Amino acid sequence: MIEPPVKRSFAGAVLDYLGTRYVGAGPETCSYTTQAIQIPMRDGIELAADFYEPELPHGERETPTGLILIQCCYGRGAGISFLNARVFAARGFQALFVSTRGTSGSGGVFDPGSNEQSDSQDIVVWMRQQPWYHGSFATLGPSYLGYSQWALLHDPPTDCVAAVIPVAPHDQAWHAWGTGSFRLDRASWSDMMSKRDDEKSSFLSRLANIPGLSFLRSPELERAVGGLPLEDSLQKYFGDRAPWLFEYLQHPDVDDVYWTSRRHHVALERAKIPILLISGWYDTFTTQTIHQFKYLHERGVNVSLIVGPWTHVQGSGLYSVPDKLDFLGEHLTKDGKYKHPPARIFVTGSEQWRSMPTWPPPTESKTLYLQENNSLGFKPPVPDASPASFIFDPLAPTPSIGGNQMSAGGRVDDSAYADRSDVLVFTSEPLSEDLEVLGALSVHLIHESDPPFADLFVRISEVDAYGVSHNITQLYRALEPSRDTSQPLILELQDCAHRFRVGTRVRLIVAGGSFPMYARSLGTVEDRVRSDKTVAQKHTVTISGGVSQLILPANPAD
């Protein structure tokens, strides 16, 4: 039985009005109806969806502005539908809002990332058969919704004419194991997803698992993530929930066939349509979004990039609705007004937006050398400078403070690192002139660890005139035990755009872990997720001769 369309309620109109004021979307042009739909897949299961149809005023164009396809695993409730469907329907767009297989009324079993490629193709086939389909569509949605777009673009439909993809990965393996250590936000995300339809869970319990609200996170989950062996500890907590999490843990090799259906770099090779990418400097997927832009831009694809001073939740859509409306209006109707240059970048420190023809822009390298007495300087250190060292204890791991976490991330005061004995902190003298960095900073270290089974967490922060440190960019890497420690270890940090003002200081932070952002190194040859044996690791960095350096991509205009 097909449900009839339902007109927007008064309460819905009020919610849309208040939401519109918050996100700056501008005035509505119409109301809309919503129709519940079931979409058949090739294997017989059906996906639940809502179809939004604008109620166009008399005398307006006969057809809607365009059709937007949204695939979502987080339900179709008021909050998420406002940002991804309703705000567009109230401005003349059709929107098909589909729940991912195994979620929110859709049939089948939820297995993150594995079915989106085939299911999205089946949705498009079904759309083409509908009387309201006018021949083309665009795709939209952040995070997992964006991943679903990359899965569709693995085999791009010819009638898909544009895509808006904020804060989203195209490669699930890269996120889970790309550093060589397991990304533990996969556990908190899996906890949220496995409880999404649990009517017995309290409101606060469900709220606690929304990314960005870590202050409500379950202490039981925190204890499970901190337990050893990690896999056993998580198994006791999850029971039979989130079976995919344990598949992740059992496949640390990103090239394993398990990940094939969850990796969509092919989409970057095949996509030809205009694409708007949106990210934040403190998003959990920033590195992948920057990679997507560079790859597509080099191919000559019409791709635009916006990077703000945002976390994952902030970058998902709270501050970019006007850009999305302009972009979709331009590429669905050819009479919109999206005229921005390829890259629009927020430069922290100067706190201003910049328009650029590409990202990163041309820069010149400036080198800061690691010095004795925990300092950084523009001149090489003395030839006999003593090495610096610290000990990482897996049973008391160095904590994650801010940065690119799914929750509890962002630009924060990370001064506490300077007081820890398991962290090396190198800080420059106050700068005598502004220094602006644009792109990927790199750290070159002559480094060794005993035992050789170890990780490195490297961060660049800024210390202000009051001695308070705030993070800018970072990198995590599990080290190759057999590497040649006589050669520099080259670590390329995540891209950033930051202006160090006169009087501020550059700080380099080096640690052996960042927990609970990443599964800690246990210091042994054994599997880090299945062992409870731990060995403390002594890290040593050679300083003499200027062999350990921080390379800055400086703005040549400074």
Side-chain angles (χ1 to χ4, degrees):
M1 178 179 177
I2 299 176
E3 298 288 336
V6 177
K7 288 182 176 292
R8 179 173 60 168
S9 67
F10 175 77
V14 171
L15 177 62
D16 288 350
Y17 172 77
L18 295 175
T20 291
R21 289 177 63 87
Y22 185 79
V23 301
E28 294 185 353
T29 60
C30 62
S31 187
Y32 56 83
T33 62
T34 309
Q35 183 178 20
I37 288 174
Q38 295 289 319
I39 303 175
M41 299 291 101
R42 68 187 70 179
D43 61 356
I45 71 105
E46 293 186 332
L47 303 184
D50 293 326
F51 177 62
Y52 293 78
E53 179 75 52
E55 294 184 308
L56 300 175
H58 293 297
E60 296 289 329
R61 68 176 74 189
E62 295 182 1
T63 59
T65 305
L67 170 65
I68 305 168
L69 170 62
I70 310 101
Q71 300 178 69
C72 180
C73 65
Y74 301 120
R76 303 188 307 281
I80 196 162
S81 66
F82 169 74
L83 282 174
N84 295 285
R86 292 161 55 172
V87 70
F88 299 96
R91 285 154 186 83
F93 292 88
Q94 296 172 315
L96 181 63
F97 199 128
V98 186
S99 283
T100 304
R101 177 183 290 251
T103 71
S104 302
S106 288
V109 176
F110 181 58
D111 185 10
S114 63
N115 295 296
E116 279 70 17
Q117 184 178 340
S118 59
D119 283 355
S120 61
Q121 295 291 336
D122 290 353
I123 293 169
V124 172
V125 169
W126 177 86
M127 282 196 316
R128 291 169 178 158
Q129 300 169 355
Q130 306 312 304
W132 40 257
Y133 186 66
H134 297 287
S136 66
F137 68 97
T139 59
L140 171 73
S143 194
Y144 195 96
L145 291 69
Y147 168 79
S148 298
Q149 295 181 69
W150 289 121
L152 173 65
L153 293 175
H154 194 108
D155 296 297
T158 56
D159 43 352
C160 181
V161 297
V164 178
I165 310 179
V167 295
H170 60 279
D171 188 330
Q172 300 267 2
W174 185 355
H175 184 64
W177 282 103
T179 64
S181 178
F182 186 66
R183 180 90 181 217
L184 285 169
D185 62 12
R186 298 299 81 197
S188 55
W189 182 82
S190 296
D191 192 41
M192 174 187 70
M193 290 305 300
S194 64
K195 292 178 177 177
R196 66 193 181 280
D197 294 326
D198 184 0
E199 296 181 357
K200 297 179 181 179
S201 63
S202 69
F203 172 75
L204 283 178
S205 175
R206 281 175 282 168
L207 192 63
N209 286 285
I210 296 175
L213 298 182
S214 60
F215 58 89
L216 291 172
R217 185 179 297 166
S218 160
E220 290 82 8
L221 176 60
E222 291 185 358
R223 285 194 290 271
V225 167
L228 293 175
L230 175 62
E231 185 178 46
D232 290 350
S233 183
L234 290 173
Q235 189 70 68
K236 291 176 183 177
Y237 173 77
F238 278 93
D240 60 359
R241 293 188 295 116
W244 61 82
L245 174 62
F246 301 93
E247 294 284 342
Y248 292 173
L249 291 170
Q250 292 162 17
H251 295 92
D253 182 356
V254 297
D255 293 321
D256 191 290
V257 67
Y258 167 79
W259 293 108
T260 300
S261 65
R262 297 165 174 84
R263 309 187 73 185
H264 299 290
H265 193 276
V266 169
L268 303 184
E269 300 171 356
R270 295 177 177 174
K272 298 179 181 179
I273 60 174
I275 297 177
L276 174 60
L277 301 172
I278 302 171
S279 188
W281 291 127
Y282 311 107
D283 175 37
T284 189
F285 299 116
T286 308
T287 298
Q288 289 205 43
T289 301
I290 296 294
H291 173 79
Q292 292 157 13
F293 174 79
K294 292 177 180 178
Y295 197 95
L296 292 169
H297 188 73
E298 289 174 1
R299 283 188 52 226
V301 174
N302 180 3
V303 58
S304 298
L305 173 69
I306 299 172
V307 186
W310 305 322
T311 62
H312 184 70
V313 171
Q314 293 168 336
S316 293
L318 295 178
Y319 305 116
S320 56
V321 170
D323 287 289
K324 295 175 184 177
L325 285 164
D326 289 350
F327 184 86
L328 291 170
E330 168 70 17
H331 295 294
L332 280 171
T333 68
K334 303 301 181 184
D335 60 1
K337 59 178 181 178
Y338 195 81
K339 305 300 181 184
H340 293 297
R344 200 147 52 90
I345 305 297
F346 189 87
V347 182
T348 55
S350 66
E351 308 305 303
Q352 62 179 212
W353 287 95
R354 299 268 184 83
S355 294
M356 304 178 184
T358 187
W359 176 263
T363 57
E364 60 183 27
S365 295
K366 290 189 177 181
T367 302
L368 281 167
Y369 298 92
L370 279 63
Q371 313 275 344
E372 285 188 310
N373 302 319
N374 303 110
S375 62
L376 287 172
F378 287 103
K379 295 181 179 180
V382 296
D384 58 350
S386 300
S389 64
F390 66 93
I391 294 175
F392 173 79
D393 182 359
L395 298 180
T398 313
S400 305
I401 303 177
N404 299 83
Q405 301 184 63
M406 182 73 77
S407 300
R411 186 175 186 270
V412 301
D413 179 350
D414 63 2
S415 305
Y417 280 134
D419 297 325
R420 295 185 62 91
S421 61
D422 58 352
V423 176
L424 291 178
V425 174
F426 300 90
T427 308
S428 74
E429 293 296 318
L431 297 174
S432 59
E433 57 184 18
D434 284 7
L435 173 62
E436 186 169 277
V437 293
L438 302 168
L441 290 72
S442 63
V443 175
H444 297 202
L445 299 178
I446 295 293
H447 167 276
E448 60 182 334
S449 64
D450 182 22
F453 309 101
D455 297 353
L456 273 179
F457 172 70
V458 179
R459 169 178 283 183
I460 304 300
S461 295
E462 177 189 74
V463 181
D464 64 22
Y466 302 98
V468 179
S469 175
H470 289 90
N471 54 298
I472 297 169
T473 183
Q474 61 191 44
L475 173 79
Y476 196 95
R477 181 185 292 182
L479 302 178
E480 173 55 53
S482 61
R483 65 187 178 88
D484 183 355
T485 57
S486 67
Q487 298 300 309
L489 177 64
I490 299 176
L491 305 168
E492 187 171 287
L493 283 67
Q494 176 188 284
D495 285 25
C496 68
H498 183 78
R499 191 170 189 85
F500 293 90
R501 291 293 193 181
V502 170
T504 63
R505 293 181 285 166
V506 182
R507 172 166 287 178
L508 168 63
I509 296 166
V510 182
S514 179
F515 182 84
M517 192 170 177
Y518 293 98
R520 75 201 94 172
S521 168
L522 302 181
T524 74
V525 70
E526 297 185 43
D527 191 321
R528 72 175 63 208
V529 304
R530 295 184 180 84
S531 176
D532 61 357
K533 297 179 181 178
T534 64
V535 176
Q537 303 133 49
K538 182 177 181 179
H539 292 251
T540 302
V541 176
T542 300
I543 293 175
S544 64
V547 292
S548 293
Q549 313 167 357
L550 167 61
I551 313 297
L552 306 169
N555 186 343
D558 285 347

